[in-house]
Amino acid sequence: FFSHSPTYSILLTIMPSDKQMPQYSEKYFDDTYEYRHVVLPPDMAKLLPKNRLLTEAEWRGLGVQQSRGWVHYAIHRPEPHIMLFRRTLNYGQAQA
């Protein structure tokens, strides 16, 4: 039934699979920052510039979704498809 439903076909077309979506790490911390990394799927990774960090508008434009305050702070050359982000500890509290 579902495989022949027009609605189901449309959903399959517009809903990306997990392999096409960024994968987000859990947060990890040091004394100053909280960190996380985002693994981009190949189609998104090929859009990354090779030698510079992205602004918030740029990484959001690629489809990376995170709360406010995250900064793309480093490029790990062996794995450039993994974006490294950080923000100050207690970011939300500092803004209030």
Side-chain angles (χ1 to χ4, degrees), residues 4-81:
H4 299 291
S5 165
T7 303
Y8 182 76
S9 297
I10 291 169
L11 287 176
L12 284 178
T13 303
I14 62 172
M15 295 297 292
S17 71
D18 286 344
K19 291 183 180 181
Q20 296 172 331
M21 299 294 293
Q23 300 297 310
Y24 300 87
S25 74
E26 294 295 322
K27 297 175 190 173
Y28 40 102
F29 307 88
D30 65 16
D31 292 338
T32 307
Y33 296 101
E34 61 180 328
Y35 300 88
R36 78 169 347 158
H37 58 272
V38 178
V39 180
L40 299 180
D43 286 347
M44 289 174 74
K46 68 183 176 186
L47 300 174
L48 285 173
K50 300 288 184 228
N51 295 308
R52 68 176 182 82
L53 301 172
L54 271 62
T55 65
E56 181 175 350
E58 290 173 320
W59 55 257
R60 287 192 187 279
L62 282 175
V64 175
Q65 299 178 5
Q66 305 184 90
S67 55
R68 295 185 182 272
W70 291 101
V71 175
H72 182 212
Y73 77 97
I75 299 170
H76 181 56
R77 301 266 182 235
E79 297 178 302
H81 66 288

